[in-house]
Amino acid sequence: MSTVDVRHYVAADLPEIRQYILDIHVEVRQRDFGLTGPFYDVERFDERLTMYASRPGWTAVLGWEDGEPVGFCFGTTLAPDTKWWNNMLTPLPDEITAETGRRTVALNEIVVRKPWRGRSIAWQLHEAWLTHRHEERVTLLVNPANGDGAVQAVYEAWGYRQIGQQQPFPDSPVFSVMLRPVKLT
């Protein structure tokens, strides 16, 4: 497994890293994967990035190799009044959805540029990001159609399990909702 230099960031650092994140989003989501439509427009992504970073507990990591950004991941703590669980297609029991502001972190995005894929860089970024998290569990949304299910299978290999589906925005895909402990035993 090759490694990259991983740097940790907090919300106050967003002005320094915003353009790297936006450029990688466009390169990977739009050019590599051909994801188009209003939900994937860079302006909408930037709005979501700003919204996520405005919440307490937002952190990010960027991977670097030879001074070039290779990928990123970021997420934020789910607050007691979070709307994260509101759009489940089948409601989940309260013991899963009850939040304390310390129980769950949401991995909002993880993206690796094409030249660095297949080298376990995404795993490295993911695990480096989680090392600074103090919540019990981590949740994420994945489009089950991505890579004909291969992307979801990667998350399953990382210890996540699907607990339901949701559509968080009217123009977003229906996502698989996945969950795992922050620290694997």
Side-chain angles (χ1 to χ4, degrees), residues 14-136:
L14 186 57
E16 172 190 344
I17 62 173
R18 180 186 300 273
Q19 196 60 53
Y20 294 117
I21 291 172
L22 296 177
D23 291 347
I24 292 170
H25 165 80
V26 168
E27 177 183 331
V28 173
R29 298 280 196 245
Q30 294 177 3
R31 287 194 289 248
D32 292 353
F33 296 145
L35 299 173
T36 59
F39 181 74
Y40 293 104
D41 286 348
V42 69
E43 294 81 14
R44 281 281 301 284
F45 177 77
D46 192 28
E47 288 172 11
R48 290 191 302 273
L49 173 60
T50 299
M51 177 186 61
Y52 295 139
S54 72
R55 296 177 179 158
W58 184 88
T59 60
V61 297
L62 268 72
W64 300 86
E65 188 171 78
D66 299 325
E68 191 170 356
V70 304
F72 65 84
C73 73
F74 62 76
T76 191
T77 307
L78 296 184
D81 62 349
T82 185
K83 307 282 188 260
W84 181 268
W85 306 109
N86 290 8
N87 298 303
M88 298 299 296
L89 299 186
T90 302
L92 295 168
D94 289 346
E95 58 264 17
I96 293 178
T97 63
E99 295 298 342
T100 65
R102 294 180 305 278
R103 184 179 190 203
T104 310
V105 62
L107 175 60
N108 300 123
E109 295 283 341
I110 183 166
V111 180
V112 175
R113 296 173 62 205
K114 192 173 187 176
W116 289 271
R117 283 186 223 132
R119 295 174 39 191
S120 298
I121 302 301
W123 169 253
Q124 182 187 354
L125 295 175
H126 177 268
E127 293 303 301
W129 178 71
L130 286 178
T131 63
H132 286 79
R133 302 307 314 191
H134 303 288
E135 296 84 359
E136 300 167 28

